[in-house]
Amino acid sequence: SALTQPPSASGSPGQSVTISCTGTNSDIGGYNFVSWYQQYPGKAPKVMIYEVDKRPSGVPDRFSGSKAGYTASLTVSGLQPDDEAEYYCSSYAGSNTYLFGTGTTVTVL
Amino acid sequence: QVQLVESGGGLVKPGGSLRLSCVGSGFVFNDYHMGWIRQAPGKGLEWLSYISYSAGTIYYADSVKGRFTISRDNTRKSVYLQMNSLRVDDTAIYYCATQDKPNPPHHWGQGTQVTVSS
């Protein structure tokens, strides 16, 4: 089954928004292999965070990741209009399988 | 930079077959493990399959095990997904991606649409 994310999150420009991703001890809680993706409508997902808190080159440092227990979080600081998108988490779930989150729509007010 | 281009999608009847292809460029293809993921209309993402750089290790999600087959041809810088016994609920956009196990997918292609309908 999928990892649980809130359906929506919002913030004004310049503010911060944090998205949670809740799993179990068999996935997020058991491994430090959590990724976060940004997806615009009709486009492919783009990795924003990998291995819980690492940013690929080119991703602004306004994006940060963390994990506590079996919940991972993505924080977007200094919200900008083009941060408005769908965000998904993903985690290794053991036994050579992977889970994705249910997705969160971020709205910049 | 890493570029992945999928092709082979289309309209197929239930029970039919399709073979998806994904060509990589901008990186040393045979150094990378690869995966396939899909996204049903208006839905979230679902990981489907993984193949190691040498094709020596292959994994599938339970939802496609026995119906889908992943393969690769490093001389053509391509990875494939053979899909048999297709069902209506296989309708989705199918993405290929680089995947450095045990990390989830990393660089993604633009996707190819598969529609299963009578």
Side-chain angles (χ1 to χ4, degrees), chain B residues 18-20 36 49 51 58-60 64-72 79-84:
Chain B
L18 272 180
R19 188 195 193 209
L20 306 183
W36 285 95
S49 185
I51 186 167
I58 287 173
Y59 305 119
Y60 297 101
V64 303
K65 199 175 296 182
R67 297 190 301 126
F68 290 10
T69 302
I70 192 171
S71 62
R72 65 189 295 160
V79 61
Y80 307 100
L81 189 67
Q82 176 67 43
M83 305 187 297
N84 299 331

Side-chain angles (χ1 to χ4, degrees), chain A residues 33 37 39 44 51 88 96 98, chain B residues 39 59 99 101-103 105 109:
Chain A
F33 297 107
Y37 307 93
Q39 186 179 34
E51 291 181 11
Y88 291 95
N96 303 307
Y98 298 84
Chain B
Q39 186 169 32
Y59 305 119
Q99 185 170 359
K101 179 181 179 294
N103 276 298

Side-chain angles (χ1 to χ4, degrees), chain B residues 57-100:
Chain B
T57 302
I58 287 173
Y59 305 119
Y60 297 101
D62 287 344
S63 59
V64 303
K65 199 175 296 182
R67 297 190 301 126
F68 290 10
T69 302
I70 192 171
S71 62
R72 65 189 295 160
D73 182 343
N74 287 340
T75 64
R76 297 180 185 272
K77 300 182 181 180
S78 294
V79 61
Y80 307 100
L81 189 67
Q82 176 67 43
M83 305 187 297
N84 299 331
S85 303
L86 283 163
R87 309 188 294 228
V88 171
D89 63 357
D90 291 319
T91 294
I93 297 173
Y94 284 72
Y95 298 97
C96 71
T98 61
Q99 185 170 359
D100 189 15

Side-chain angles (χ1 to χ4, degrees), chain B residues 3-4 6 17 26 31 33 46 48 50 53 83-84 110:
Chain B
Q3 286 203 322
L4 297 166
E6 302 92 338
S17 298
D31 282 350
H33 313 304
E46 180 186 14
L48 299 178
Y50 160 97
Y53 71 97
M83 305 187 297
N84 299 331
Q110 88 290 348

Side-chain angles (χ1 to χ4, degrees), chain A residues 13-104:
Chain A
Q15 290 187 331
S16 295
V17 65
T18 296
I19 304 165
S20 62
C21 172
T22 303
T24 69
N25 286 328
S26 297
D27 37 71
I28 292 175
Y31 309 95
N32 288 323
F33 297 107
V34 177
S35 295
W36 287 91
Y37 307 93
Q38 178 190 64
Q39 186 179 34
Y40 294 116
K43 300 295 186 183
K46 173 188 173 184
V47 64
M48 307 301 282
I49 296 289
Y50 68 101
E51 291 181 11
V52 176
D53 59 5
K54 297 179 181 175
R55 267 179 294 105
S57 60
V59 173
D61 60 5
R62 301 185 296 104
F63 291 84
S64 62
S66 62
K67 189 186 91 165
Y70 48 82
T71 297
S73 298
L74 173 72
T75 298
V76 185
S77 306
L79 268 175
Q80 297 182 1
D82 63 356
D83 295 333
E84 190 162 290
E86 191 79 7
Y87 291 82
Y88 291 95
C89 58
S90 181
S91 174
Y92 181 62
S95 301
N96 303 307
T97 62
Y98 298 84
L99 292 176
F100 283 94
T102 49
T104 298

